[in-house]
Amino acid sequence: MSNIAEFITGVKEKYPAQLLKGRIEYEGNVVSCFFKDMLLLDDTTFEKDDFITVDGRFYFSLLKDLRKKGFYSLDEITILSNSKQEVIDRYEDCGGWDSIQHQMDIINTQNFDTYIDILYRENVMLRMCDDGFNLLKEINIKDKKVIPIKLFRKMTAEEVTDWYEARISTYGTGYSSKILEEEEIDFDDEFIESCAEGEENGVPFDIAGYDKNGEEINCFPFLSRQIMGLLEGTLTMMGGFSSAGKSTWWITVLMALLYYDRKILIISNEENIKKFKIKFMVWLLGKRNRYFKLTKKKMSVGDINKESREQLKDVQAFWRKNYKGRVKFIAMNDADMAVIKKKVRENVLKFGYDTVLYDTFKIQESDFSSSRQDLSLVRDSRELDKLAKKYNLIMLASVQLAEYMKGKLFLDASCLSNAKQTKEILENLFLMRTVYAEELDEKSKYYCHPFRLKKINDKWIEEEYKADPNAVWRMLFVEKTRNGNNSSDTGIAYLLKFSGDHSIFREVAQCRPKHGEIR
């Protein structure tokens, strides 16, 4: 940064020149990114003392103060109208707005993660120097002479910290530096109370309120109970083949989450906002109003009579009273994770969204044959998981499975590219496919033996269920969940009745699908 030209008092005397090399550029890059996007301040843990150049510390303090006052973007009027006179004088001495604008024009915020990691790394080295570690003195590492500062400048901040901790651990203390929890086990009242309050439960998606007759609007009660709800800070994925109804399946989940007071951001590269609006409306018409005369197709082509229009008005009033301002939709042409991260961050920090649905990842056949270990699905899933953990979000995503996997009867993680790496990232993984006619035919070798659970004398028993062969069915597999058995353990999947005309999935029964393939 052009204006950062001197260090605060005592820095040059305290630290060797080699340790301060590049510092002006490092601080300048970070501060310039903050100029361009003040919300980036919320993504870091920097404090004033982390900046040791005079101008770096000044600009950081200026930005931090404006951010605390609630400002999201920077302009000259904001600075002049919300700063003390001595700050304004210093701002003018540094070149005023022209200097800031110049830095905003030349900086690329897509490199922000790299810029902040470099500054974190440099600050780690400063602290090591403060603790008496000589960064310029040669040391032996596996019979090689190495100068620490040269080694560290090739590392990330985390790698430097890990190296230092590992180095300390060789001094023979016998203790681990990576302890997360240390506590003598005792079942105190606080522990019992936390269990009684269900603190380990996530947000359920069993019901979405009550219909016009006062009856519960069922969503996925058994599935919700099996996985103990959707937990904040985690990523849940639904995988399915093209036209299986992945996006529509999420509508039922989202309506339940709205009932439980979540605020939802939908990011889609699959469908436009009108299609999502229609899905929400016909779902509410069917599930809340018990009105099934208006279908998605009729809404799309404008075939709406007077009776249907009155029903739509009723749904409109209900939505505005209960859910207006709590669902936002963003359409994207391409799956650009940098843009997705930016939009999630903006909407979480500015508007308080706490649930995100990303629709859709797509898997190509080449993903399965590629020798690369970090394919896009794994990489982008990790990014979504990081966002979920960073902002304590319920993160949801759908993934389109490769078409050549169709015909596989018992779906599992092998349907995903880099299955092991992807599965490890996820909290829950659901996989869904179309049900074949043979699976509902009792005489067929592919018969899936549908059943319902019925509670008798406080015990659940299986009761045979005859599925209507003329209805449209989907089969849902629970491939991974942190609680309860998954489909691979039990051999059981969910049998969902699907009304595409009304965007409704019904959790009707369970079944035991066969293994193998059907063509």
Side-chain angles (χ1 to χ4, degrees):
M1 183 173 177
S2 59
N3 282 331
I4 299 179
E6 56 182 319
F7 295 95
I8 62 174
T9 304
V11 167
K12 285 188 175 181
E13 293 76 21
K14 186 176 182 180
Y15 300 110
Q18 295 97 315
L19 191 52
L20 300 177
K21 184 179 179 181
R23 185 75 190 198
I24 294 170
E25 178 187 353
Y26 302 151
E27 291 192 10
N29 288 336
V30 172
V31 169
S32 297
C33 286
F34 290 152
F35 285 154
K36 201 163 187 177
D37 185 355
M38 287 177 64
L39 286 175
L40 292 173
L41 285 161
D42 299 341
D43 284 352
T44 68
T45 58
F46 286 124
E47 298 294 339
K48 180 180 68 173
D49 292 342
D50 291 320
F51 294 81
I52 60 173
T53 61
V54 173
D55 288 356
R57 183 171 290 189
F58 165 73
Y59 279 123
F60 176 79
S61 299
L62 168 66
L63 289 161
K64 194 79 171 177
D65 181 62
L66 292 174
R67 184 70 191 94
K68 284 181 179 178
K69 292 177 180 178
F71 293 100
Y72 300 113
S73 58
L74 191 67
D75 55 57
E76 187 165 27
I77 294 176
T78 299
I79 296 172
L80 298 177
S81 302
N82 296 277
S83 304
K84 295 179 180 179
Q85 188 57 49
E86 57 264 31
V87 174
I88 295 174
D89 292 342
R90 179 81 175 96
Y91 158 76
E92 296 291 355
D93 290 342
C94 288
W97 182 253
D98 288 343
S99 178
I100 292 177
Q101 185 64 62
H102 173 69
Q103 294 306 126
M104 292 168 67
D105 289 341
I106 63 174
I107 201 68
N108 184 355
T109 55
Q110 289 191 354
N111 297 325
F112 178 66
D113 288 341
T114 301
Y115 295 148
I116 63 170
D117 189 76
I118 291 172
L119 188 53
Y120 280 135
R121 181 195 68 200
E122 297 298 310
N123 285 342
V124 169
M125 289 196 288
L126 291 180
R127 301 293 84 78
M128 292 170 69
C129 187
D130 291 340
D131 290 340
F133 186 88
N134 192 336
L135 293 155
L136 307 180
K137 182 181 177 181
E138 276 189 348
I139 59 174
N140 286 314
I141 301 178
K142 296 181 179 179
D143 298 326
K144 287 186 178 180
K145 291 188 178 296
V146 176
I147 297 175
I149 192 171
K150 291 184 178 180
L151 175 67
F152 294 162
R153 288 250 162 91
K154 299 175 182 178
M155 295 180 174
T156 65
E158 184 177 9
E159 288 169 343
V160 173
T161 303
D162 287 345
W163 183 94
Y164 190 46
E165 289 179 347
R167 184 78 174 178
I168 292 173
S169 71
T170 65
Y171 297 162
T173 63
Y175 293 100
S176 169
S177 61
K178 294 186 179 290
I179 293 173
L180 299 178
E181 291 184 281
E182 183 175 341
E183 179 185 338
E184 181 181 301
I185 291 182
D186 179 38
F187 308 118
D188 56 19
D189 292 341
E190 184 180 350
F191 168 77
I192 294 173
E193 191 62 30
S194 70
C195 292
E197 292 179 1
E199 289 183 3
E200 293 301 311
N201 284 337
V203 179
F205 51 100
D206 51 351
I207 66 170
Y210 299 87
D211 64 20
K212 299 195 77 172
N213 298 324
E215 297 177 0
E216 282 187 350
I217 301 175
N218 283 320
C219 295
F220 301 117
F222 283 91
L223 178 59
S224 177
R225 192 179 304 119
Q226 178 181 347
I227 72 167
M228 292 175 63
L230 296 166
L231 199 65
E232 292 179 334
T234 66
L235 171 61
T236 294
M237 187 174 285
M238 158 60 79
F241 300 105
S242 178
S243 302
K246 301 178 298 297
S247 302
T248 304
W249 185 84
W250 282 118
I251 295 295
T252 298
V253 176
L254 297 183
M255 289 305 305
L257 293 177
L258 282 173
Y259 173 68
Y260 286 104
D261 296 323
R262 306 298 295 186
K263 194 169 183 180
I264 300 166
L265 175 68
I266 302 169
I267 301 176
S268 176
N269 59 17
E270 185 81 1
E271 297 184 335
N272 60 39
I273 188 169
K274 185 173 182 180
K275 288 183 178 178
F276 263 89
K277 283 183 176 181
I278 289 173
K279 286 179 181 180
F280 276 118
M281 291 205 82
V282 295
W283 191 95
L284 281 167
L285 284 171
K287 296 288 279 185
R288 177 183 176 271
N289 287 28
R290 303 296 179 188
Y291 183 78
F292 297 98
K293 295 180 181 179
L294 186 60
T295 64
K296 281 197 306 184
K297 183 177 181 181
K298 285 185 176 181
M299 281 198 70
S300 299
V301 300
D303 184 6
I304 305 173
N305 60 28
K306 184 179 179 181
E307 181 186 16
S308 294
R309 190 177 291 275
E310 289 175 356
Q311 291 288 334
L312 285 174
K313 281 290 184 182
D314 182 72
V315 166
Q316 179 189 55
F318 172 81
W319 181 274
R320 288 179 172 176
K321 179 182 178 182
N322 295 279
Y323 302 137
K324 186 178 180 182
R326 289 174 48 200
V327 183
K328 179 183 283 190
F329 181 91
I330 297 174
M332 297 181 60
N333 293 326
D334 299 306
D336 188 332
M337 188 50 62
V339 176
I340 293 168
K341 288 165 62 178
K342 184 174 187 293
K343 287 300 179 183
V344 170
R345 182 167 49 81
E346 284 180 357
N347 283 280
V348 169
L349 297 175
K350 282 186 179 181
F351 308 113
Y353 285 88
D354 54 24
T355 303
V356 178
L357 168 63
Y358 176 58
D359 182 51
T360 300
F361 288 113
K362 295 183 180 179
I363 296 178
Q364 308 298 328
E365 185 171 350
S366 59
D367 290 344
F368 289 85
S369 59
S370 174
S371 61
R372 290 190 301 129
Q373 294 298 307
D374 192 22
L375 295 171
S376 60
L377 178 62
V378 179
R379 183 184 62 247
D380 291 348
S381 295
R382 283 182 180 144
E383 292 297 330
L384 291 183
D385 186 55
K386 286 179 184 176
L387 286 172
K389 288 176 169 54
K390 187 171 190 175
Y391 299 116
N392 204 31
L393 304 172
I394 291 177
M395 183 69 73
L396 312 169
S398 49
V399 56
Q400 181 173 309
L401 305 181
E403 290 299 299
Y404 85 94
M405 297 291 286
K406 271 189 173 180
K408 185 179 174 72
L409 290 173
F410 204 103
L411 301 187
D412 54 32
S414 66
C415 296
L416 301 176
S417 63
N418 280 26
K420 183 179 178 183
Q421 296 97 314
T422 304
K423 185 176 176 180
E424 286 175 349
I425 298 164
L426 304 174
E427 182 78 358
N428 303 295
L429 173 59
F430 308 132
L431 298 168
M432 185 169 66
R433 65 166 174 82
T434 298
V435 175
Y436 299 97
E438 293 91 331
E439 293 180 288
L440 303 179
D441 182 358
E442 296 179 50
K443 298 178 182 180
S444 170
K445 65 178 182 178
Y446 298 111
Y447 186 55
C448 67
H449 298 278
F451 66 89
R452 279 179 166 175
L453 291 175
K454 188 174 182 180
K455 203 167 189 178
I456 299 178
N457 296 327
D458 291 329
K459 289 185 178 180
W460 292 99
I461 64 168
E462 293 183 12
E463 186 176 74
E464 186 179 357
Y465 176 76
K466 179 66 175 176
D468 180 1
N470 297 315
V472 179
W473 298 93
R474 297 289 185 264
M475 198 174 289
L476 184 144
F477 298 79
V478 181
E479 171 58 8
K480 182 184 178 182
T481 176
R482 67 189 172 91
N483 291 299
N485 294 323
N486 58 40
S487 295
S488 295
D489 294 329
T490 64
I492 294 173
Y494 286 89
L495 201 58
L496 307 178
K497 196 172 187 178
F498 180 39
S499 173
D501 285 340
H502 303 97
S503 299
I504 293 173
F505 278 90
R506 291 183 174 87
E507 193 184 67
V508 173
Q510 297 181 57
C511 63
R512 289 185 170 86
K514 304 295 184 184
H515 288 264
E517 294 186 358
I518 186 171
R519 296 296 180 186

